[in-house]
Amino acid sequence: MDRKGTGTTLNFVDKAAVARVAAILSALFIASPSSAQGLRSPQGDPVLIIEGALTHTNDGDRAVFDMAMLRDLPQVSFATNTIWTEGERSFTGVPLIAVLDAVGAQGDLVIAHALNDYEVEIPIAELEEDVPIIAYEMDGAEMSLRQNGPLWVVYPYDAAIRYRTDTAFARSIWHLNLLRVLE
């Protein structure tokens, strides 16, 4: 059964997609016998720390990502209006579920924490394949702190009414720097 509970089963194999996923995993994970337990180490400044119930780590019992590591994960882009910006904006980032999959998250709940100590709970069961994203670009450029960056949890608010609720707005945490996975 898939994450959305639809029970959809694919009856074909897209070999190109399998090769892309294998390349992404190879780039993210350490090439060593212990790679089942570790991600590669960040080469740049850390932008996101993930702790809690994880099976893949690179800094003790936590996972630390730099921007390049996030960019190595599958990307999603969409244009949407937000209640915090003027006009339609284009956002690019990695689906939150893809980040959790990369660290082997074993929990039911994510606590998202911002640089200003704002925290919000996001149930993992409510995540969709491509929604929300951890955006690292707005209108084709990395986001500064002034622009709610460098990381911002964003939903495609214009795409469906379910993304224009108080809950979705509250979960749209900017200045994201930490995810805590709870069982």
PDB file of all heavy atoms in Angstrom, residues 137-160:
ATOM      1  N   GLU A 137      14.617  27.595  -2.865  1.00  0.00           N
ATOM      2  CA  GLU A 137      14.652  28.659  -3.872  1.00  0.00           C
ATOM      3  C   GLU A 137      13.278  29.292  -3.999  1.00  0.00           C
ATOM      4  O   GLU A 137      12.263  28.602  -3.940  1.00  0.00           O
ATOM      5  CB  GLU A 137      15.039  28.123  -5.254  1.00  0.00           C
ATOM      6  CG  GLU A 137      16.478  27.807  -5.425  1.00  0.00           C
ATOM      7  CD  GLU A 137      16.813  27.390  -6.849  1.00  0.00           C
ATOM      8  OE1 GLU A 137      15.933  27.435  -7.748  1.00  0.00           O
ATOM      9  OE2 GLU A 137      17.968  26.978  -7.066  1.00  0.00           O
ATOM     10  N   MET A 138      13.282  30.593  -4.184  1.00  0.00           N
ATOM     11  CA  MET A 138      12.067  31.322  -4.526  1.00  0.00           C
ATOM     12  C   MET A 138      12.402  32.156  -5.749  1.00  0.00           C
ATOM     13  O   MET A 138      13.407  32.879  -5.747  1.00  0.00           O
ATOM     14  CB  MET A 138      11.602  32.221  -3.372  1.00  0.00           C
ATOM     15  CG  MET A 138      10.311  32.969  -3.684  1.00  0.00           C
ATOM     16  SD  MET A 138       9.567  33.817  -2.268  1.00  0.00           S
ATOM     17  CE  MET A 138      10.879  34.876  -1.706  1.00  0.00           C
ATOM     18  N   ASP A 139      11.588  32.017  -6.777  1.00  0.00           N
ATOM     19  CA  ASP A 139      11.810  32.718  -8.046  1.00  0.00           C
ATOM     20  C   ASP A 139      13.214  32.484  -8.597  1.00  0.00           C
ATOM     21  O   ASP A 139      13.869  33.387  -9.117  1.00  0.00           O
ATOM     22  CB  ASP A 139      11.528  34.216  -7.880  1.00  0.00           C
ATOM     23  CG  ASP A 139      10.083  34.491  -7.521  1.00  0.00           C
ATOM     24  OD1 ASP A 139       9.206  33.673  -7.900  1.00  0.00           O
ATOM     25  OD2 ASP A 139       9.814  35.507  -6.860  1.00  0.00           O
ATOM     26  N   GLY A 140      13.703  31.242  -8.463  1.00  0.00           N
ATOM     27  CA  GLY A 140      14.965  30.836  -9.053  1.00  0.00           C
ATOM     28  C   GLY A 140      16.215  31.209  -8.283  1.00  0.00           C
ATOM     29  O   GLY A 140      17.328  30.948  -8.741  1.00  0.00           O
ATOM     30  N   ALA A 141      16.078  31.791  -7.091  1.00  0.00           N
ATOM     31  CA  ALA A 141      17.248  32.181  -6.306  1.00  0.00           C
ATOM     32  C   ALA A 141      17.121  31.631  -4.882  1.00  0.00           C
ATOM     33  O   ALA A 141      16.015  31.478  -4.362  1.00  0.00           O
ATOM     34  CB  ALA A 141      17.369  33.706  -6.261  1.00  0.00           C
ATOM     35  N   GLU A 142      18.263  31.332  -4.267  1.00  0.00           N
ATOM     36  CA  GLU A 142      18.236  30.909  -2.874  1.00  0.00           C
ATOM     37  C   GLU A 142      17.613  32.014  -2.033  1.00  0.00           C
ATOM     38  O   GLU A 142      17.766  33.195  -2.332  1.00  0.00           O
ATOM     39  CB  GLU A 142      19.650  30.579  -2.381  1.00  0.00           C
ATOM     40  CG  GLU A 142      20.191  29.305  -2.981  1.00  0.00           C
ATOM     41  CD  GLU A 142      21.514  28.862  -2.366  1.00  0.00           C
ATOM     42  OE1 GLU A 142      22.041  29.546  -1.455  1.00  0.00           O
ATOM     43  OE2 GLU A 142      22.024  27.824  -2.815  1.00  0.00           O
ATOM     44  N   MET A 143      16.910  31.617  -0.992  1.00  0.00           N
ATOM     45  CA  MET A 143      16.212  32.575  -0.139  1.00  0.00           C
ATOM     46  C   MET A 143      17.107  33.015   1.017  1.00  0.00           C
ATOM     47  O   MET A 143      17.717  32.182   1.686  1.00  0.00           O
ATOM     48  CB  MET A 143      14.935  31.945   0.424  1.00  0.00           C
ATOM     49  CG  MET A 143      13.898  31.623  -0.625  1.00  0.00           C
ATOM     50  SD  MET A 143      12.433  30.823   0.058  1.00  0.00           S
ATOM     51  CE  MET A 143      13.082  29.201   0.451  1.00  0.00           C
ATOM     52  N   SER A 144      17.143  34.308   1.244  1.00  0.00           N
ATOM     53  CA  SER A 144      17.876  34.853   2.386  1.00  0.00           C
ATOM     54  C   SER A 144      16.983  34.770   3.621  1.00  0.00           C
ATOM     55  O   SER A 144      15.792  34.463   3.532  1.00  0.00           O
ATOM     56  CB  SER A 144      18.251  36.310   2.114  1.00  0.00           C
ATOM     57  OG  SER A 144      17.075  37.106   2.080  1.00  0.00           O
ATOM     58  N   LEU A 145      17.548  35.076   4.772  1.00  0.00           N
ATOM     59  CA  LEU A 145      16.742  35.129   5.991  1.00  0.00           C
ATOM     60  C   LEU A 145      15.613  36.137   5.848  1.00  0.00           C
ATOM     61  O   LEU A 145      14.495  35.907   6.296  1.00  0.00           O
ATOM     62  CB  LEU A 145      17.609  35.491   7.196  1.00  0.00           C
ATOM     63  CG  LEU A 145      18.506  34.377   7.731  1.00  0.00           C
ATOM     64  CD1 LEU A 145      19.418  34.906   8.823  1.00  0.00           C
ATOM     65  CD2 LEU A 145      17.690  33.215   8.247  1.00  0.00           C
ATOM     66  N   ARG A 146      15.871  37.237   5.194  1.00  0.00           N
ATOM     67  CA  ARG A 146      14.858  38.270   4.991  1.00  0.00           C
ATOM     68  C   ARG A 146      13.701  37.743   4.134  1.00  0.00           C
ATOM     69  O   ARG A 146      12.573  38.187   4.253  1.00  0.00           O
ATOM     70  CB  ARG A 146      15.482  39.494   4.329  1.00  0.00           C
ATOM     71  CG  ARG A 146      14.514  40.649   4.129  1.00  0.00           C
ATOM     72  CD  ARG A 146      15.181  41.872   3.576  1.00  0.00           C
ATOM     73  NE  ARG A 146      16.082  42.542   4.475  1.00  0.00           N
ATOM     74  CZ  ARG A 146      15.718  43.339   5.477  1.00  0.00           C
ATOM     75  NH1 ARG A 146      14.445  43.518   5.742  1.00  0.00           N
ATOM     76  NH2 ARG A 146      16.607  43.933   6.217  1.00  0.00           N
ATOM     77  N   GLN A 147      13.990  36.759   3.275  1.00  0.00           N
ATOM     78  CA  GLN A 147      12.966  36.168   2.399  1.00  0.00           C
ATOM     79  C   GLN A 147      12.400  34.869   2.977  1.00  0.00           C
ATOM     80  O   GLN A 147      11.916  34.023   2.235  1.00  0.00           O
ATOM     81  CB  GLN A 147      13.559  35.889   1.023  1.00  0.00           C
ATOM     82  CG  GLN A 147      14.028  37.110   0.290  1.00  0.00           C
ATOM     83  CD  GLN A 147      14.822  36.712  -0.941  1.00  0.00           C
ATOM     84  OE1 GLN A 147      15.767  35.925  -0.861  1.00  0.00           O
ATOM     85  NE2 GLN A 147      14.433  37.257  -2.074  1.00  0.00           N
ATOM     86  N   ASN A 148      12.496  34.690   4.279  1.00  0.00           N
ATOM     87  CA  ASN A 148      11.987  33.515   4.986  1.00  0.00           C
ATOM     88  C   ASN A 148      12.831  32.264   4.774  1.00  0.00           C
ATOM     89  O   ASN A 148      12.380  31.163   5.061  1.00  0.00           O
ATOM     90  CB  ASN A 148      10.521  33.239   4.649  1.00  0.00           C
ATOM     91  CG  ASN A 148       9.623  34.372   5.051  1.00  0.00           C
ATOM     92  OD1 ASN A 148       9.961  35.159   5.926  1.00  0.00           O
ATOM     93  ND2 ASN A 148       8.478  34.479   4.419  1.00  0.00           N
ATOM     94  N   GLY A 149      14.044  32.404   4.279  1.00  0.00           N
ATOM     95  CA  GLY A 149      14.928  31.275   4.046  1.00  0.00           C
ATOM     96  C   GLY A 149      15.880  31.065   5.206  1.00  0.00           C
ATOM     97  O   GLY A 149      15.702  31.633   6.269  1.00  0.00           O
ATOM     98  N   PRO A 150      16.864  30.247   5.010  1.00  0.00           N
ATOM     99  CA  PRO A 150      17.183  29.609   3.736  1.00  0.00           C
ATOM    100  C   PRO A 150      16.264  28.435   3.386  1.00  0.00           C
ATOM    101  O   PRO A 150      16.217  28.016   2.245  1.00  0.00           O
ATOM    102  CB  PRO A 150      18.625  29.138   3.915  1.00  0.00           C
ATOM    103  CG  PRO A 150      18.789  28.946   5.387  1.00  0.00           C
ATOM    104  CD  PRO A 150      17.879  29.951   6.035  1.00  0.00           C
ATOM    105  N   LEU A 151      15.523  27.912   4.384  1.00  0.00           N
ATOM    106  CA  LEU A 151      14.600  26.805   4.113  1.00  0.00           C
ATOM    107  C   LEU A 151      13.211  27.174   4.610  1.00  0.00           C
ATOM    108  O   LEU A 151      13.054  27.710   5.712  1.00  0.00           O
ATOM    109  CB  LEU A 151      15.067  25.515   4.804  1.00  0.00           C
ATOM    110  CG  LEU A 151      16.458  25.001   4.416  1.00  0.00           C
ATOM    111  CD1 LEU A 151      16.812  23.774   5.240  1.00  0.00           C
ATOM    112  CD2 LEU A 151      16.554  24.719   2.939  1.00  0.00           C
ATOM    113  N   TRP A 152      12.198  26.840   3.811  1.00  0.00           N
ATOM    114  CA  TRP A 152      10.822  27.198   4.130  1.00  0.00           C
ATOM    115  C   TRP A 152       9.924  26.042   3.702  1.00  0.00           C
ATOM    116  O   TRP A 152       9.976  25.595   2.555  1.00  0.00           O
ATOM    117  CB  TRP A 152      10.458  28.473   3.378  1.00  0.00           C
ATOM    118  CG  TRP A 152       9.110  29.053   3.596  1.00  0.00           C
ATOM    119  CD1 TRP A 152       8.113  28.604   4.422  1.00  0.00           C
ATOM    120  CD2 TRP A 152       8.587  30.224   2.954  1.00  0.00           C
ATOM    121  NE1 TRP A 152       7.019  29.425   4.336  1.00  0.00           N
ATOM    122  CE2 TRP A 152       7.276  30.434   3.451  1.00  0.00           C
ATOM    123  CE3 TRP A 152       9.080  31.116   2.010  1.00  0.00           C
ATOM    124  CZ2 TRP A 152       6.479  31.478   3.031  1.00  0.00           C
ATOM    125  CZ3 TRP A 152       8.284  32.160   1.592  1.00  0.00           C
ATOM    126  CH2 TRP A 152       7.001  32.347   2.109  1.00  0.00           C
ATOM    127  N   VAL A 153       9.110  25.521   4.604  1.00  0.00           N
ATOM    128  CA  VAL A 153       8.128  24.484   4.268  1.00  0.00           C
ATOM    129  C   VAL A 153       6.973  25.179   3.548  1.00  0.00           C
ATOM    130  O   VAL A 153       6.323  26.059   4.106  1.00  0.00           O
ATOM    131  CB  VAL A 153       7.634  23.732   5.521  1.00  0.00           C
ATOM    132  CG1 VAL A 153       6.517  22.754   5.152  1.00  0.00           C
ATOM    133  CG2 VAL A 153       8.788  23.002   6.200  1.00  0.00           C
ATOM    134  N   VAL A 154       6.749  24.780   2.285  1.00  0.00           N
ATOM    135  CA  VAL A 154       5.763  25.461   1.445  1.00  0.00           C
ATOM    136  C   VAL A 154       4.815  24.440   0.821  1.00  0.00           C
ATOM    137  O   VAL A 154       5.237  23.367   0.378  1.00  0.00           O
ATOM    138  CB  VAL A 154       6.460  26.276   0.333  1.00  0.00           C
ATOM    139  CG1 VAL A 154       5.435  26.986  -0.544  1.00  0.00           C
ATOM    140  CG2 VAL A 154       7.442  27.289   0.925  1.00  0.00           C
ATOM    141  N   TYR A 155       3.554  24.809   0.786  1.00  0.00           N
ATOM    142  CA  TYR A 155       2.510  24.028   0.127  1.00  0.00           C
ATOM    143  C   TYR A 155       2.104  24.760  -1.158  1.00  0.00           C
ATOM    144  O   TYR A 155       2.227  25.987  -1.221  1.00  0.00           O
ATOM    145  CB  TYR A 155       1.272  23.920   1.032  1.00  0.00           C
ATOM    146  CG  TYR A 155       1.459  23.076   2.259  1.00  0.00           C
ATOM    147  CD1 TYR A 155       2.134  23.574   3.375  1.00  0.00           C
ATOM    148  CD2 TYR A 155       0.955  21.783   2.318  1.00  0.00           C
ATOM    149  CE1 TYR A 155       2.294  22.793   4.522  1.00  0.00           C
ATOM    150  CE2 TYR A 155       1.110  21.006   3.463  1.00  0.00           C
ATOM    151  CZ  TYR A 155       1.787  21.520   4.553  1.00  0.00           C
ATOM    152  OH  TYR A 155       1.944  20.745   5.677  1.00  0.00           O
ATOM    153  N   PRO A 156       1.585  24.060  -2.148  1.00  0.00           N
ATOM    154  CA  PRO A 156       1.060  24.739  -3.343  1.00  0.00           C
ATOM    155  C   PRO A 156      -0.341  25.290  -3.028  1.00  0.00           C
ATOM    156  O   PRO A 156      -1.361  24.715  -3.417  1.00  0.00           O
ATOM    157  CB  PRO A 156       1.030  23.623  -4.394  1.00  0.00           C
ATOM    158  CG  PRO A 156       0.816  22.376  -3.584  1.00  0.00           C
ATOM    159  CD  PRO A 156       1.526  22.605  -2.277  1.00  0.00           C
ATOM    160  N   TYR A 157      -0.381  26.386  -2.305  1.00  0.00           N
ATOM    161  CA  TYR A 157      -1.622  26.927  -1.741  1.00  0.00           C
ATOM    162  C   TYR A 157      -2.718  27.114  -2.781  1.00  0.00           C
ATOM    163  O   TYR A 157      -3.897  26.908  -2.480  1.00  0.00           O
ATOM    164  CB  TYR A 157      -1.340  28.248  -1.018  1.00  0.00           C
ATOM    165  CG  TYR A 157      -0.208  28.123  -0.030  1.00  0.00           C
ATOM    166  CD1 TYR A 157       1.061  28.605  -0.332  1.00  0.00           C
ATOM    167  CD2 TYR A 157      -0.395  27.480   1.191  1.00  0.00           C
ATOM    168  CE1 TYR A 157       2.112  28.470   0.558  1.00  0.00           C
ATOM    169  CE2 TYR A 157       0.649  27.335   2.087  1.00  0.00           C
ATOM    170  CZ  TYR A 157       1.904  27.830   1.760  1.00  0.00           C
ATOM    171  OH  TYR A 157       2.949  27.680   2.639  1.00  0.00           O
ATOM    172  N   ASP A 158      -2.365  27.495  -3.993  1.00  0.00           N
ATOM    173  CA  ASP A 158      -3.361  27.734  -5.039  1.00  0.00           C
ATOM    174  C   ASP A 158      -3.915  26.438  -5.640  1.00  0.00           C
ATOM    175  O   ASP A 158      -4.934  26.462  -6.310  1.00  0.00           O
ATOM    176  CB  ASP A 158      -2.758  28.572  -6.177  1.00  0.00           C
ATOM    177  CG  ASP A 158      -2.381  29.966  -5.733  1.00  0.00           C
ATOM    178  OD1 ASP A 158      -2.871  30.423  -4.675  1.00  0.00           O
ATOM    179  OD2 ASP A 158      -1.582  30.615  -6.442  1.00  0.00           O
ATOM    180  N   ALA A 159      -3.259  25.308  -5.405  1.00  0.00           N
ATOM    181  CA  ALA A 159      -3.627  24.057  -6.064  1.00  0.00           C
ATOM    182  C   ALA A 159      -4.890  23.414  -5.511  1.00  0.00           C
ATOM    183  O   ALA A 159      -5.598  22.733  -6.248  1.00  0.00           O
ATOM    184  CB  ALA A 159      -2.464  23.060  -5.989  1.00  0.00           C
ATOM    185  N   ALA A 160      -5.163  23.618  -4.225  1.00  0.00           N
ATOM    186  CA  ALA A 160      -6.342  22.958  -3.622  1.00  0.00           C
ATOM    187  C   ALA A 160      -6.709  23.661  -2.326  1.00  0.00           C
ATOM    188  O   ALA A 160      -5.846  24.196  -1.630  1.00  0.00           O
ATOM    189  CB  ALA A 160      -6.051  21.485  -3.351  1.00  0.00           C
TER     190      ALA A 160
END
